[in-house]
Amino acid sequence: MTETLSAAALAGGLSWASGIRLYMTLFIAGLFGRSGWIDLPPALEVLQSPWVIGATGILLIVEFLADKVPGIDSAWDAVQTFIRVPAGAVLGAAALGEMGPEWSAIAALLGGTFAAGAHITKAGSRALINTSPEPFSNWAASFSEDVVVLAGLWAAFFQPWLLAIFLILFFIAALWLMPKLWRGLRWLFRKLST
C-alpha cells in the first residue's frame, strides 16, 4: 500500500509540476535520484544521467529567466503548451510503469490532465497579470510558482498524503478560477483587437 501510494504521488506530483515548471521538475527529480535522496522507477532513471541533468539544468535556467520577463513569459507558455502537457502524461505513465499497462494508461491520462490543468491555470493567470504595466506582480507570481512547484515536488517525494491534499486544493482553486480567467482573457482579446 505504501509503495503504491508513493508511486501514485510521484506520478501525480511530477505530472502536475511539469505543467508549471517542466525543466525544474525534470532537473530536481534527476538530481535527487542521482544523489540517492529518492528512488526513481526504472522508466525514470534516465533523468539521473549527468547529461540529462546538465541539459535540464540549462533549460531550467532558460525557463527561469524567460518566466520573469512580462510578455516573454506568455510567449514561452504558448510554446510550452505543446511540451508540458505531453510531458506530464509521459511522466505519469513512467512513474507507474511497473504496475502494469492498465495503470500506465490511467496514469498517462491523469498525468496529462494534471499537467494541462496546472498549465492552463498558470498561463491564463500570467497572461492577465501581464496586462499590468509594472513588472512586480509578474515577478511575484513567477517566484510564487517556483516555490509552489518546489513544495509540490517535496511533498511528492517525501509526503504522499500531503501531496494528495495539496492537489485536491489546487484543482478546487483552479476550477473556481477558470471561469474568471476565461472572462479575463476574452476581455483582453477584445481589448487587443480594438
Side-chain angles (χ1 to χ4, degrees):
M1 176 66 176
T2 303
E3 283 185 28
T4 302
L5 179 61
S6 293
L10 184 65
L14 292 176
S15 297
W16 168 83
S18 73
I20 300 172
R21 293 280 191 276
L22 173 60
Y23 304 113
M24 177 187 285
T25 301
L26 297 175
F27 177 79
I28 290 173
L31 187 64
F32 278 29
R34 184 156 185 86
S35 301
W37 296 337
I38 61 171
D39 292 322
L40 291 174
L44 292 176
E45 286 178 355
V46 69
L47 297 177
Q48 300 172 162
S49 158
W51 290 101
V52 174
I53 291 172
T56 57
I58 291 167
L59 290 167
L60 164 62
I61 292 167
V62 171
E63 180 177 60
F64 181 84
L65 295 174
D67 200 66
K68 304 302 183 263
V69 181
I72 292 176
D73 64 336
S74 290
W76 180 263
D77 284 341
V79 171
Q80 290 296 310
T81 299
F82 304 102
I83 301 169
R84 290 177 183 156
V85 176
V90 169
L91 288 169
L96 293 183
E98 291 187 315
M99 296 181 69
E102 64 279 357
W103 288 106
S104 278
I106 292 168
L109 292 170
L110 289 175
T113 302
F114 283 2
H119 175 69
I120 290 167
T121 303
K122 176 223 188 296
S125 61
R126 292 297 288 282
L128 292 177
I129 289 170
N130 284 339
T131 61
S132 172
E134 46 75 33
F136 302 110
S137 56
N138 187 313
W139 295 339
S142 182
F143 283 115
S144 296
E145 292 161 4
D146 294 335
V147 170
V148 167
V149 167
L150 290 172
L153 289 173
W154 172 82
F157 298 154
F158 304 113
Q159 298 294 326
W161 287 106
L162 188 59
L163 177 73
I165 294 167
F166 172 79
L167 288 177
I168 290 168
L169 293 175
F170 177 84
F171 282 103
I172 289 171
L175 287 172
W176 173 81
L177 189 60
M178 287 293 175
K180 292 158 186 46
L181 287 175
W182 182 250
R183 283 192 301 271
L185 290 172
R186 282 193 352 223
W187 168 82
L188 179 61
F189 288 131
R190 277 196 308 264
K191 184 178 172 183
L192 292 173
S193 67
T194 56

PDB file of all heavy atoms in Angstrom, residues 1-37:
ATOM      1  N   MET A   1       0.832  -1.204   0.000  1.00  0.00           N
ATOM      2  CA  MET A   1       0.000   0.000   0.000  1.00  0.00           C
ATOM      3  C   MET A   1       0.871   1.261   0.000  1.00  0.00           C
ATOM      4  O   MET A   1       0.602   2.193  -0.747  1.00  0.00           O
ATOM      5  CB  MET A   1      -0.924  -0.033   1.229  1.00  0.00           C
ATOM      6  CG  MET A   1      -1.778   1.191   1.401  1.00  0.00           C
ATOM      7  SD  MET A   1      -2.978   1.345   0.070  1.00  0.00           S
ATOM      8  CE  MET A   1      -3.871   2.758   0.604  1.00  0.00           C
ATOM      9  N   THR A   2       1.917   1.262   0.835  1.00  0.00           N
ATOM     10  CA  THR A   2       2.792   2.429   0.914  1.00  0.00           C
ATOM     11  C   THR A   2       3.521   2.656  -0.400  1.00  0.00           C
ATOM     12  O   THR A   2       3.649   3.789  -0.854  1.00  0.00           O
ATOM     13  CB  THR A   2       3.816   2.262   2.058  1.00  0.00           C
ATOM     14  OG1 THR A   2       3.090   2.044   3.266  1.00  0.00           O
ATOM     15  CG2 THR A   2       4.674   3.493   2.213  1.00  0.00           C
ATOM     16  N   GLU A   3       3.990   1.558  -1.030  1.00  0.00           N
ATOM     17  CA  GLU A   3       4.683   1.690  -2.316  1.00  0.00           C
ATOM     18  C   GLU A   3       3.740   2.207  -3.390  1.00  0.00           C
ATOM     19  O   GLU A   3       4.133   3.035  -4.212  1.00  0.00           O
ATOM     20  CB  GLU A   3       5.276   0.351  -2.737  1.00  0.00           C
ATOM     21  CG  GLU A   3       6.547  -0.003  -2.001  1.00  0.00           C
ATOM     22  CD  GLU A   3       7.174  -1.277  -2.535  1.00  0.00           C
ATOM     23  OE1 GLU A   3       6.991  -1.587  -3.726  1.00  0.00           O
ATOM     24  OE2 GLU A   3       7.840  -1.952  -1.750  1.00  0.00           O
ATOM     25  N   THR A   4       2.507   1.738  -3.392  1.00  0.00           N
ATOM     26  CA  THR A   4       1.529   2.189  -4.374  1.00  0.00           C
ATOM     27  C   THR A   4       1.228   3.665  -4.179  1.00  0.00           C
ATOM     28  O   THR A   4       1.176   4.433  -5.160  1.00  0.00           O
ATOM     29  CB  THR A   4       0.223   1.367  -4.250  1.00  0.00           C
ATOM     30  OG1 THR A   4       0.534  -0.009  -4.430  1.00  0.00           O
ATOM     31  CG2 THR A   4      -0.787   1.796  -5.287  1.00  0.00           C
ATOM     32  N   LEU A   5       1.065   4.094  -2.939  1.00  0.00           N
ATOM     33  CA  LEU A   5       0.807   5.499  -2.654  1.00  0.00           C
ATOM     34  C   LEU A   5       1.993   6.357  -3.069  1.00  0.00           C
ATOM     35  O   LEU A   5       1.822   7.421  -3.658  1.00  0.00           O
ATOM     36  CB  LEU A   5       0.490   5.701  -1.171  1.00  0.00           C
ATOM     37  CG  LEU A   5       0.229   7.148  -0.740  1.00  0.00           C
ATOM     38  CD1 LEU A   5      -0.973   7.721  -1.471  1.00  0.00           C
ATOM     39  CD2 LEU A   5       0.050   7.218   0.752  1.00  0.00           C
ATOM     40  N   SER A   6       3.208   5.897  -2.788  1.00  0.00           N
ATOM     41  CA  SER A   6       4.405   6.642  -3.162  1.00  0.00           C
ATOM     42  C   SER A   6       4.523   6.764  -4.672  1.00  0.00           C
ATOM     43  O   SER A   6       4.862   7.820  -5.200  1.00  0.00           O
ATOM     44  CB  SER A   6       5.662   5.973  -2.599  1.00  0.00           C
ATOM     45  OG  SER A   6       5.666   6.060  -1.202  1.00  0.00           O
ATOM     46  N   ALA A   7       4.236   5.667  -5.393  1.00  0.00           N
ATOM     47  CA  ALA A   7       4.300   5.706  -6.860  1.00  0.00           C
ATOM     48  C   ALA A   7       3.227   6.632  -7.422  1.00  0.00           C
ATOM     49  O   ALA A   7       3.484   7.413  -8.354  1.00  0.00           O
ATOM     50  CB  ALA A   7       4.140   4.296  -7.429  1.00  0.00           C
ATOM     51  N   ALA A   8       2.023   6.584  -6.857  1.00  0.00           N
ATOM     52  CA  ALA A   8       0.944   7.465  -7.320  1.00  0.00           C
ATOM     53  C   ALA A   8       1.283   8.922  -7.025  1.00  0.00           C
ATOM     54  O   ALA A   8       1.022   9.813  -7.850  1.00  0.00           O
ATOM     55  CB  ALA A   8      -0.375   7.074  -6.657  1.00  0.00           C
ATOM     56  N   ALA A   9       1.870   9.193  -5.856  1.00  0.00           N
ATOM     57  CA  ALA A   9       2.266  10.559  -5.510  1.00  0.00           C
ATOM     58  C   ALA A   9       3.348  11.057  -6.452  1.00  0.00           C
ATOM     59  O   ALA A   9       3.319  12.206  -6.899  1.00  0.00           O
ATOM     60  CB  ALA A   9       2.750  10.630  -4.064  1.00  0.00           C
ATOM     61  N   LEU A  10       4.305  10.190  -6.773  1.00  0.00           N
ATOM     62  CA  LEU A  10       5.355  10.573  -7.710  1.00  0.00           C
ATOM     63  C   LEU A  10       4.754  10.886  -9.075  1.00  0.00           C
ATOM     64  O   LEU A  10       5.082  11.909  -9.692  1.00  0.00           O
ATOM     65  CB  LEU A  10       6.401   9.465  -7.818  1.00  0.00           C
ATOM     66  CG  LEU A  10       7.605   9.769  -8.696  1.00  0.00           C
ATOM     67  CD1 LEU A  10       8.426  10.913  -8.106  1.00  0.00           C
ATOM     68  CD2 LEU A  10       8.466   8.532  -8.869  1.00  0.00           C
ATOM     69  N   ALA A  11       3.845  10.035  -9.545  1.00  0.00           N
ATOM     70  CA  ALA A  11       3.198  10.264 -10.844  1.00  0.00           C
ATOM     71  C   ALA A  11       2.411  11.565 -10.841  1.00  0.00           C
ATOM     72  O   ALA A  11       2.546  12.394 -11.743  1.00  0.00           O
ATOM     73  CB  ALA A  11       2.277   9.085 -11.179  1.00  0.00           C
ATOM     74  N   GLY A  12       1.591  11.763  -9.813  1.00  0.00           N
ATOM     75  CA  GLY A  12       0.783  12.980  -9.741  1.00  0.00           C
ATOM     76  C   GLY A  12       1.614  14.233  -9.558  1.00  0.00           C
ATOM     77  O   GLY A  12       1.378  15.250 -10.199  1.00  0.00           O
ATOM     78  N   GLY A  13       2.616  14.149  -8.683  1.00  0.00           N
ATOM     79  CA  GLY A  13       3.453  15.322  -8.412  1.00  0.00           C
ATOM     80  C   GLY A  13       4.281  15.735  -9.606  1.00  0.00           C
ATOM     81  O   GLY A  13       4.351  16.923  -9.947  1.00  0.00           O
ATOM     82  N   LEU A  14       4.933  14.770 -10.257  1.00  0.00           N
ATOM     83  CA  LEU A  14       5.734  15.102 -11.432  1.00  0.00           C
ATOM     84  C   LEU A  14       4.861  15.639 -12.559  1.00  0.00           C
ATOM     85  O   LEU A  14       5.237  16.599 -13.247  1.00  0.00           O
ATOM     86  CB  LEU A  14       6.523  13.882 -11.909  1.00  0.00           C
ATOM     87  CG  LEU A  14       7.647  13.374 -11.012  1.00  0.00           C
ATOM     88  CD1 LEU A  14       8.265  12.104 -11.590  1.00  0.00           C
ATOM     89  CD2 LEU A  14       8.710  14.446 -10.807  1.00  0.00           C
ATOM     90  N   SER A  15       3.703  15.028 -12.762  1.00  0.00           N
ATOM     91  CA  SER A  15       2.804  15.477 -13.834  1.00  0.00           C
ATOM     92  C   SER A  15       2.303  16.890 -13.569  1.00  0.00           C
ATOM     93  O   SER A  15       2.353  17.753 -14.463  1.00  0.00           O
ATOM     94  CB  SER A  15       1.614  14.522 -13.959  1.00  0.00           C
ATOM     95  OG  SER A  15       2.049  13.239 -14.318  1.00  0.00           O
ATOM     96  N   TRP A  16       1.813  17.130 -12.367  1.00  0.00           N
ATOM     97  CA  TRP A  16       1.299  18.454 -12.025  1.00  0.00           C
ATOM     98  C   TRP A  16       2.398  19.507 -12.134  1.00  0.00           C
ATOM     99  O   TRP A  16       2.210  20.555 -12.754  1.00  0.00           O
ATOM    100  CB  TRP A  16       0.710  18.445 -10.611  1.00  0.00           C
ATOM    101  CG  TRP A  16       0.442  19.802 -10.104  1.00  0.00           C
ATOM    102  CD1 TRP A  16      -0.660  20.566 -10.359  1.00  0.00           C
ATOM    103  CD2 TRP A  16       1.323  20.592  -9.298  1.00  0.00           C
ATOM    104  NE1 TRP A  16      -0.514  21.787  -9.744  1.00  0.00           N
ATOM    105  CE2 TRP A  16       0.689  21.829  -9.092  1.00  0.00           C
ATOM    106  CE3 TRP A  16       2.564  20.377  -8.728  1.00  0.00           C
ATOM    107  CZ2 TRP A  16       1.264  22.842  -8.332  1.00  0.00           C
ATOM    108  CZ3 TRP A  16       3.140  21.376  -7.978  1.00  0.00           C
ATOM    109  CH2 TRP A  16       2.488  22.598  -7.790  1.00  0.00           C
ATOM    110  N   ALA A  17       3.562  19.236 -11.541  1.00  0.00           N
ATOM    111  CA  ALA A  17       4.654  20.207 -11.547  1.00  0.00           C
ATOM    112  C   ALA A  17       5.155  20.486 -12.960  1.00  0.00           C
ATOM    113  O   ALA A  17       5.543  21.615 -13.279  1.00  0.00           O
ATOM    114  CB  ALA A  17       5.804  19.718 -10.668  1.00  0.00           C
ATOM    115  N   SER A  18       5.121  19.483 -13.823  1.00  0.00           N
ATOM    116  CA  SER A  18       5.585  19.697 -15.200  1.00  0.00           C
ATOM    117  C   SER A  18       4.680  20.669 -15.948  1.00  0.00           C
ATOM    118  O   SER A  18       5.121  21.322 -16.887  1.00  0.00           O
ATOM    119  CB  SER A  18       5.667  18.369 -15.955  1.00  0.00           C
ATOM    120  OG  SER A  18       4.386  17.876 -16.278  1.00  0.00           O
ATOM    121  N   GLY A  19       3.433  20.792 -15.521  1.00  0.00           N
ATOM    122  CA  GLY A  19       2.526  21.749 -16.154  1.00  0.00           C
ATOM    123  C   GLY A  19       2.867  23.198 -15.838  1.00  0.00           C
ATOM    124  O   GLY A  19       2.418  24.110 -16.515  1.00  0.00           O
ATOM    125  N   ILE A  20       3.681  23.413 -14.810  1.00  0.00           N
ATOM    126  CA  ILE A  20       4.069  24.766 -14.409  1.00  0.00           C
ATOM    127  C   ILE A  20       5.539  25.022 -14.718  1.00  0.00           C
ATOM    128  O   ILE A  20       5.900  26.025 -15.321  1.00  0.00           O
ATOM    129  CB  ILE A  20       3.773  24.994 -12.912  1.00  0.00           C
ATOM    130  CG1 ILE A  20       2.286  24.809 -12.638  1.00  0.00           C
ATOM    131  CG2 ILE A  20       4.235  26.393 -12.484  1.00  0.00           C
ATOM    132  CD1 ILE A  20       1.912  24.824 -11.174  1.00  0.00           C
ATOM    133  N   ARG A  21       6.401  24.121 -14.283  1.00  0.00           N
ATOM    134  CA  ARG A  21       7.854  24.253 -14.460  1.00  0.00           C
ATOM    135  C   ARG A  21       8.429  22.900 -14.864  1.00  0.00           C
ATOM    136  O   ARG A  21       8.962  22.166 -14.046  1.00  0.00           O
ATOM    137  CB  ARG A  21       8.532  24.706 -13.162  1.00  0.00           C
ATOM    138  CG  ARG A  21       8.204  26.076 -12.701  1.00  0.00           C
ATOM    139  CD  ARG A  21       9.024  27.105 -13.471  1.00  0.00           C
ATOM    140  NE  ARG A  21       8.896  28.410 -12.860  1.00  0.00           N
ATOM    141  CZ  ARG A  21       7.902  29.253 -13.097  1.00  0.00           C
ATOM    142  NH1 ARG A  21       6.963  28.935 -13.956  1.00  0.00           N
ATOM    143  NH2 ARG A  21       7.865  30.422 -12.489  1.00  0.00           N
ATOM    144  N   LEU A  22       8.333  22.572 -16.136  1.00  0.00           N
ATOM    145  CA  LEU A  22       8.765  21.265 -16.620  1.00  0.00           C
ATOM    146  C   LEU A  22      10.239  21.012 -16.349  1.00  0.00           C
ATOM    147  O   LEU A  22      10.610  19.969 -15.805  1.00  0.00           O
ATOM    148  CB  LEU A  22       8.482  21.127 -18.122  1.00  0.00           C
ATOM    149  CG  LEU A  22       9.041  19.866 -18.787  1.00  0.00           C
ATOM    150  CD1 LEU A  22       8.461  18.615 -18.157  1.00  0.00           C
ATOM    151  CD2 LEU A  22       8.775  19.902 -20.277  1.00  0.00           C
ATOM    152  N   TYR A  23      11.090  21.950 -16.712  1.00  0.00           N
ATOM    153  CA  TYR A  23      12.531  21.690 -16.627  1.00  0.00           C
ATOM    154  C   TYR A  23      13.022  21.678 -15.182  1.00  0.00           C
ATOM    155  O   TYR A  23      13.936  20.927 -14.845  1.00  0.00           O
ATOM    156  CB  TYR A  23      13.299  22.676 -17.500  1.00  0.00           C
ATOM    157  CG  TYR A  23      12.790  22.609 -18.922  1.00  0.00           C
ATOM    158  CD1 TYR A  23      12.116  23.672 -19.496  1.00  0.00           C
ATOM    159  CD2 TYR A  23      12.928  21.437 -19.668  1.00  0.00           C
ATOM    160  CE1 TYR A  23      11.604  23.588 -20.785  1.00  0.00           C
ATOM    161  CE2 TYR A  23      12.413  21.335 -20.950  1.00  0.00           C
ATOM    162  CZ  TYR A  23      11.751  22.417 -21.508  1.00  0.00           C
ATOM    163  OH  TYR A  23      11.241  22.314 -22.773  1.00  0.00           O
ATOM    164  N   MET A  24      12.391  22.467 -14.319  1.00  0.00           N
ATOM    165  CA  MET A  24      12.708  22.399 -12.891  1.00  0.00           C
ATOM    166  C   MET A  24      12.343  21.018 -12.353  1.00  0.00           C
ATOM    167  O   MET A  24      13.096  20.408 -11.584  1.00  0.00           O
ATOM    168  CB  MET A  24      11.957  23.483 -12.117  1.00  0.00           C
ATOM    169  CG  MET A  24      12.182  23.440 -10.612  1.00  0.00           C
ATOM    170  SD  MET A  24      11.136  24.588  -9.698  1.00  0.00           S
ATOM    171  CE  MET A  24      11.949  26.137 -10.068  1.00  0.00           C
ATOM    172  N   THR A  25      11.196  20.522 -12.766  1.00  0.00           N
ATOM    173  CA  THR A  25      10.720  19.216 -12.320  1.00  0.00           C
ATOM    174  C   THR A  25      11.684  18.113 -12.734  1.00  0.00           C
ATOM    175  O   THR A  25      12.080  17.268 -11.921  1.00  0.00           O
ATOM    176  CB  THR A  25       9.313  18.952 -12.902  1.00  0.00           C
ATOM    177  OG1 THR A  25       8.435  19.986 -12.457  1.00  0.00           O
ATOM    178  CG2 THR A  25       8.779  17.600 -12.499  1.00  0.00           C
ATOM    179  N   LEU A  26      12.069  18.115 -14.001  1.00  0.00           N
ATOM    180  CA  LEU A  26      12.971  17.078 -14.503  1.00  0.00           C
ATOM    181  C   LEU A  26      14.344  17.177 -13.843  1.00  0.00           C
ATOM    182  O   LEU A  26      14.943  16.159 -13.479  1.00  0.00           O
ATOM    183  CB  LEU A  26      13.107  17.201 -16.025  1.00  0.00           C
ATOM    184  CG  LEU A  26      11.825  16.994 -16.826  1.00  0.00           C
ATOM    185  CD1 LEU A  26      12.079  17.276 -18.304  1.00  0.00           C
ATOM    186  CD2 LEU A  26      11.265  15.607 -16.630  1.00  0.00           C
ATOM    187  N   PHE A  27      14.852  18.408 -13.691  1.00  0.00           N
ATOM    188  CA  PHE A  27      16.162  18.612 -13.088  1.00  0.00           C
ATOM    189  C   PHE A  27      16.185  18.123 -11.642  1.00  0.00           C
ATOM    190  O   PHE A  27      17.088  17.387 -11.238  1.00  0.00           O
ATOM    191  CB  PHE A  27      16.541  20.095 -13.165  1.00  0.00           C
ATOM    192  CG  PHE A  27      17.847  20.427 -12.497  1.00  0.00           C
ATOM    193  CD1 PHE A  27      19.050  20.163 -13.136  1.00  0.00           C
ATOM    194  CD2 PHE A  27      17.876  20.996 -11.235  1.00  0.00           C
ATOM    195  CE1 PHE A  27      20.265  20.453 -12.530  1.00  0.00           C
ATOM    196  CE2 PHE A  27      19.085  21.301 -10.622  1.00  0.00           C
ATOM    197  CZ  PHE A  27      20.278  21.030 -11.266  1.00  0.00           C
ATOM    198  N   ILE A  28      15.190  18.524 -10.866  1.00  0.00           N
ATOM    199  CA  ILE A  28      15.162  18.144  -9.446  1.00  0.00           C
ATOM    200  C   ILE A  28      14.968  16.640  -9.287  1.00  0.00           C
ATOM    201  O   ILE A  28      15.640  16.003  -8.468  1.00  0.00           O
ATOM    202  CB  ILE A  28      14.087  18.948  -8.692  1.00  0.00           C
ATOM    203  CG1 ILE A  28      14.541  20.409  -8.591  1.00  0.00           C
ATOM    204  CG2 ILE A  28      13.815  18.358  -7.319  1.00  0.00           C
ATOM    205  CD1 ILE A  28      13.527  21.342  -8.018  1.00  0.00           C
ATOM    206  N   ALA A  29      14.087  16.042 -10.076  1.00  0.00           N
ATOM    207  CA  ALA A  29      13.894  14.589  -9.985  1.00  0.00           C
ATOM    208  C   ALA A  29      15.192  13.860 -10.330  1.00  0.00           C
ATOM    209  O   ALA A  29      15.590  12.916  -9.626  1.00  0.00           O
ATOM    210  CB  ALA A  29      12.766  14.143 -10.911  1.00  0.00           C
ATOM    211  N   GLY A  30      15.870  14.291 -11.376  1.00  0.00           N
ATOM    212  CA  GLY A  30      17.127  13.659 -11.758  1.00  0.00           C
ATOM    213  C   GLY A  30      18.212  13.854 -10.714  1.00  0.00           C
ATOM    214  O   GLY A  30      18.931  12.908 -10.359  1.00  0.00           O
ATOM    215  N   LEU A  31      18.337  15.071 -10.209  1.00  0.00           N
ATOM    216  CA  LEU A  31      19.358  15.375  -9.206  1.00  0.00           C
ATOM    217  C   LEU A  31      19.110  14.605  -7.908  1.00  0.00           C
ATOM    218  O   LEU A  31      20.031  14.024  -7.329  1.00  0.00           O
ATOM    219  CB  LEU A  31      19.389  16.875  -8.935  1.00  0.00           C
ATOM    220  CG  LEU A  31      20.505  17.383  -8.037  1.00  0.00           C
ATOM    221  CD1 LEU A  31      21.865  17.156  -8.685  1.00  0.00           C
ATOM    222  CD2 LEU A  31      20.301  18.870  -7.744  1.00  0.00           C
ATOM    223  N   PHE A  32      17.859  14.580  -7.450  1.00  0.00           N
ATOM    224  CA  PHE A  32      17.529  13.845  -6.224  1.00  0.00           C
ATOM    225  C   PHE A  32      17.742  12.342  -6.416  1.00  0.00           C
ATOM    226  O   PHE A  32      18.201  11.657  -5.510  1.00  0.00           O
ATOM    227  CB  PHE A  32      16.088  14.121  -5.799  1.00  0.00           C
ATOM    228  CG  PHE A  32      15.907  15.403  -5.033  1.00  0.00           C
ATOM    229  CD1 PHE A  32      16.724  16.497  -5.229  1.00  0.00           C
ATOM    230  CD2 PHE A  32      14.879  15.514  -4.118  1.00  0.00           C
ATOM    231  CE1 PHE A  32      16.552  17.670  -4.529  1.00  0.00           C
ATOM    232  CE2 PHE A  32      14.686  16.694  -3.395  1.00  0.00           C
ATOM    233  CZ  PHE A  32      15.531  17.772  -3.604  1.00  0.00           C
ATOM    234  N   GLY A  33      17.389  11.828  -7.590  1.00  0.00           N
ATOM    235  CA  GLY A  33      17.612  10.411  -7.863  1.00  0.00           C
ATOM    236  C   GLY A  33      19.093  10.079  -7.899  1.00  0.00           C
ATOM    237  O   GLY A  33      19.542   9.086  -7.317  1.00  0.00           O
ATOM    238  N   ARG A  34      19.874  10.921  -8.561  1.00  0.00           N
ATOM    239  CA  ARG A  34      21.324  10.690  -8.650  1.00  0.00           C
ATOM    240  C   ARG A  34      21.990  10.793  -7.280  1.00  0.00           C
ATOM    241  O   ARG A  34      22.936  10.063  -6.985  1.00  0.00           O
ATOM    242  CB  ARG A  34      21.955  11.677  -9.614  1.00  0.00           C
ATOM    243  CG  ARG A  34      23.432  11.428  -9.834  1.00  0.00           C
ATOM    244  CD  ARG A  34      23.897  11.986 -11.148  1.00  0.00           C
ATOM    245  NE  ARG A  34      25.265  11.643 -11.410  1.00  0.00           N
ATOM    246  CZ  ARG A  34      25.671  10.523 -11.977  1.00  0.00           C
ATOM    247  NH1 ARG A  34      24.797   9.617 -12.369  1.00  0.00           N
ATOM    248  NH2 ARG A  34      26.948  10.294 -12.191  1.00  0.00           N
ATOM    249  N   SER A  35      21.494  11.694  -6.437  1.00  0.00           N
ATOM    250  CA  SER A  35      22.064  11.880  -5.101  1.00  0.00           C
ATOM    251  C   SER A  35      21.644  10.781  -4.129  1.00  0.00           C
ATOM    252  O   SER A  35      22.167  10.712  -3.022  1.00  0.00           O
ATOM    253  CB  SER A  35      21.629  13.236  -4.534  1.00  0.00           C
ATOM    254  OG  SER A  35      22.063  14.278  -5.375  1.00  0.00           O
ATOM    255  N   GLY A  36      20.677   9.952  -4.523  1.00  0.00           N
ATOM    256  CA  GLY A  36      20.212   8.877  -3.649  1.00  0.00           C
ATOM    257  C   GLY A  36      19.147   9.326  -2.656  1.00  0.00           C
ATOM    258  O   GLY A  36      18.791   8.585  -1.758  1.00  0.00           O
ATOM    259  N   TRP A  37      18.618  10.531  -2.814  1.00  0.00           N
ATOM    260  CA  TRP A  37      17.590  11.023  -1.896  1.00  0.00           C
ATOM    261  C   TRP A  37      16.236  10.421  -2.190  1.00  0.00           C
ATOM    262  O   TRP A  37      15.386  10.334  -1.304  1.00  0.00           O
ATOM    263  CB  TRP A  37      17.513  12.543  -1.941  1.00  0.00           C
ATOM    264  CG  TRP A  37      18.767  13.217  -1.466  1.00  0.00           C
ATOM    265  CD1 TRP A  37      19.727  12.685  -0.640  1.00  0.00           C
ATOM    266  CD2 TRP A  37      19.209  14.521  -1.788  1.00  0.00           C
ATOM    267  NE1 TRP A  37      20.733  13.593  -0.438  1.00  0.00           N
ATOM    268  CE2 TRP A  37      20.443  14.738  -1.130  1.00  0.00           C
ATOM    269  CE3 TRP A  37      18.707  15.546  -2.571  1.00  0.00           C
ATOM    270  CZ2 TRP A  37      21.157  15.914  -1.228  1.00  0.00           C
ATOM    271  CZ3 TRP A  37      19.416  16.723  -2.676  1.00  0.00           C
ATOM    272  CH2 TRP A  37      20.633  16.895  -2.003  1.00  0.00           C
TER     273      TRP A  37
END
